Amino acid sequence: MSEFKSVKSSRVTISQLMLPSHTNFSGKIHGGYLLSLLDQIAFACASKYSGNYCVTASVDTVDFLNPIEVGELVTLKASVNYVGNSSMIVGIRVEAENIQTGKVKHCNSSYFTMVAKDEEGKNTKVPGLLLSNYEEVRRFYNCIKQIALKKERNLHEEIFDYKSEEALLTLKNYNVKLELN
């Protein structure tokens, strides 16, 4: 296995025409269907980069920015933005193109944490990431910040006393009514 691999070597692009069978009750492409496509491309990207079977550890961000219509050509572009020991953060951009007008809109940005597994299902080391331009450096730093925020949030949840009088009093600022037993 190579010691370092480029971001470019991880890139995967898939395109799919959106059909009526992919819609929700409002006639737009169902978010769950899009999530399935996102998970598929995250798997392909991480597996291609690591050379191993990969599993989804977490879906860190899914921002639905614009609805996708039936008949649009959806293109998902994925690349590894960050690597740890056995984990990778895959960034995915989703664009939808009206194939009659050629107009393209950014519909979704997502970040999946994927973990490489060996033949026995144990976590396995992935190659280091070779950053070759400032955009790749920016994406790597953004991942570092996201990881730090996630750790801070998890620590906060562990030590926050939600039963304290102070915590309960702050709830009066929200649209909530307490009826505790």
Side-chain angles (χ1 to χ4, degrees):
M1 173 170 54
S2 172
E3 197 173 314
F4 287 89
K5 289 177 84 174
S6 67
V7 171
K8 186 177 181 178
S9 73
S10 75
R11 289 190 185 134
V12 176
T13 301
I14 59 173
S15 295
Q16 187 166 344
L17 186 64
M18 294 295 106
L19 305 174
S21 61
H22 303 141
T23 60
N24 59 23
F25 293 110
S26 69
K28 306 296 182 196
I29 299 307
H30 195 288
Y33 178 73
L34 188 58
L35 281 168
S36 173
L37 293 176
L38 290 164
D39 195 49
Q40 288 175 41
I41 197 169
F43 167 81
C45 179
S47 296
K48 178 182 177 185
Y49 180 81
S50 69
N52 292 91
Y53 177 78
C54 293
V55 296
T56 305
S58 68
V59 180
D60 301 314
T61 307
V62 179
D63 292 326
F64 294 100
L65 306 171
N66 287 296
I68 300 171
E69 308 290 337
V70 170
E72 289 184 325
L73 183 65
V74 169
T75 300
L76 296 90
K77 300 173 185 175
S79 64
V80 172
N81 292 348
Y82 171 90
V83 298
N85 289 320
S86 61
S87 66
M88 297 153 280
I89 296 178
V90 175
I92 309 164
R93 180 181 174 94
V94 179
E95 297 176 339
E97 178 183 1
N98 179 312
I99 55 177
Q100 279 126 6
T101 67
K103 184 178 179 195
V104 176
K105 61 186 174 186
H106 180 198
C107 296
N108 185 288
S109 288
S110 299
Y111 299 91
F112 280 56
T113 299
M114 307 297 290
V115 176
K117 300 288 185 175
D118 65 16
E119 296 81 22
E120 288 133 33
K122 293 186 166 82
N123 292 3
T124 189
K125 190 164 176 49
V126 298
L129 192 60
L130 176 64
L131 305 175
S132 59
N133 60 55
Y134 287 113
E135 180 63 17
E136 293 172 0
V137 171
R138 182 188 68 77
R139 289 179 179 162
F140 191 87
Y141 266 117
N142 282 344
C143 290
I144 291 171
K145 287 190 278 185
Q146 285 301 113
I147 292 166
L149 286 171
K150 191 187 232 184
K151 286 179 181 174
E152 185 178 311
R153 185 177 62 240
N154 291 342
L155 179 63
H156 176 73
E157 286 179 12
E158 289 176 18
I159 62 173
F160 179 70
D161 182 7
Y162 62 90
K163 293 180 182 180
S164 72
E165 188 173 335
E166 179 186 352
L168 294 173
L169 282 174
T170 62
L171 292 177
K172 71 179 182 180
N173 300 323
Y174 298 91
N175 186 16
V176 65
K177 180 179 179 182
L178 290 178
E179 291 184 352
L180 301 172
N181 298 329

